[in-house]
Amino acid sequence: MAIITLTTDYGLRDYYVAAAKGVLNSRIPSVNIVDVSHQIDMYDIGMGSYVLKNASTYFPDGTIHIFAVDASITTRQNYLVMRYNQQFFIAPDNGALSLILANDKPGQLLSVEPDASQELFAFLADVVAAIFNGDLGKMGQEIDRSQMVQTTELTPHITAEGNVIKGHIVYEDHYGNAITNVSKKMFEEIGQGRAFELTVSKYKLTRINKFYDDFNLTDRSLKDYEGQLSLIFNQNDNLQMSIYKGIPNKGGSVNSLIGMGYRASFVITFKE
């Protein structure tokens, strides 16, 4: 059965998610609709693109991902259909797909002008149907990546000397972990095995845990490390700041303890 995923900023209180699924099921009955998240902060394409990008890697080829964050029908903005990693992504041309691509190239990219007389998910259902029927080329115009809206504000910066990475927090998860935009690949390519120091607030971190509770237990117990700030590469190979055994709603998140919330910056310096 074909899969369609939904990533929205609709929340769960209102009927909007149910209505969207109803439109899709009416237009395309034999599909499996999977919720990625409907709790994306309103209009926050950075948060939404991070969540969808990392979730999409677990779905099979041919999955169609609908991204409806800061999305509406307007004559001022087209929609994009992107084929990438053997999957399809449908989103407003608002910069979200540029964040999903990062430095990669799409397999195919089309710009589709919405019908202003349609409701959003009626239009999106037509786009999905066109993908299933192999008629996508009739709906839009193929464009180059350079013609789409680009979002670069949360892109890590590497100094000309090649010894400093300036990164940002791009997501805070349910556990209060602060996920950064520095990938393991970037860290290793720039670091080249050198010692490093990550500076954030008054803290200086010089070690990355291999796993969540990877601490020196020679003279201390694990309980002694509760509340300690540490670094780890998460399952998606993004550098992550964590408070060991921290509980967010009790003041135990990275944001509440050291003020590193969404978009906050930090510096990694590699030693010569």
Side-chain angles (χ1 to χ4, degrees), residues 94-234:
N94 59 9
L97 293 190
S98 71
L99 291 172
I100 289 173
L101 280 173
N103 296 320
D104 291 344
K105 294 181 179 180
Q108 185 181 22
L109 186 64
L110 289 94
S111 179
V112 181
E113 184 178 351
D115 182 345
S117 68
Q118 284 185 297
E119 292 186 351
L120 176 60
F121 268 85
F123 162 70
L124 294 174
D126 285 346
V127 176
V128 171
I131 294 173
F132 285 147
N133 297 331
D135 295 330
L136 188 56
K138 298 177 182 178
M139 288 204 71
Q141 178 182 0
E142 193 152 349
I143 63 172
D144 185 78
R145 176 183 170 149
S146 63
Q147 296 173 271
M148 68 193 291
V149 173
Q150 308 287 328
T151 299
T152 58
E153 61 175 314
L154 294 179
T155 301
H157 175 69
I158 302 166
T159 60
E161 297 79 12
N163 65 334
V164 173
I165 300 174
K166 296 180 179 179
H168 295 86
I169 305 301
V170 295
Y171 189 69
E172 182 179 358
D173 71 10
H174 173 71
Y175 293 94
N177 299 312
I179 293 105
T180 80
N181 57 357
V182 176
S183 67
K184 185 176 183 180
K185 179 181 179 183
M186 172 184 289
F187 184 92
E188 292 179 345
E189 286 179 351
I190 302 302
Q192 295 293 310
R194 293 178 291 176
F196 74 93
E197 183 176 87
L198 187 150
T199 305
V200 49
S201 184
K202 63 181 179 181
Y203 296 87
K204 296 184 185 298
L205 302 174
T206 59
R207 180 178 182 271
I208 298 177
N209 287 13
K210 294 180 181 178
F211 42 88
Y212 184 57
D213 58 358
D214 177 27
F215 297 108
N216 185 349
L217 301 180
T218 303
D219 301 312
R220 301 171 64 185
S221 69
L222 271 179
K223 190 167 182 61
D224 293 329
Y225 287 99
E226 291 182 6
Q228 179 165 314
L229 178 67
S230 63
L231 298 173
I232 190 172
F233 286 110
N234 68 12

Side-chain angles (χ1 to χ4, degrees), residues 42-87:
M42 290 181 288
Y43 318 118
D44 195 332
I45 64 170
M47 177 187 291
S49 61
Y50 172 83
V51 170
L52 176 54
K53 178 176 182 175
N54 287 290
S56 68
T57 61
Y58 296 94
F59 283 86
D61 292 354
T63 297
I64 298 173
H65 303 285
I66 293 177
F67 182 89
V69 176
D70 193 16
S72 61
I73 293 291
T74 171
T75 57
R76 295 184 296 276
Q77 183 182 72
N78 281 4
Y79 277 70
L80 299 176
V81 181
M82 178 175 74
R83 183 168 55 81
Y84 176 59
N85 286 345
Q86 307 304 315
Q87 300 176 0

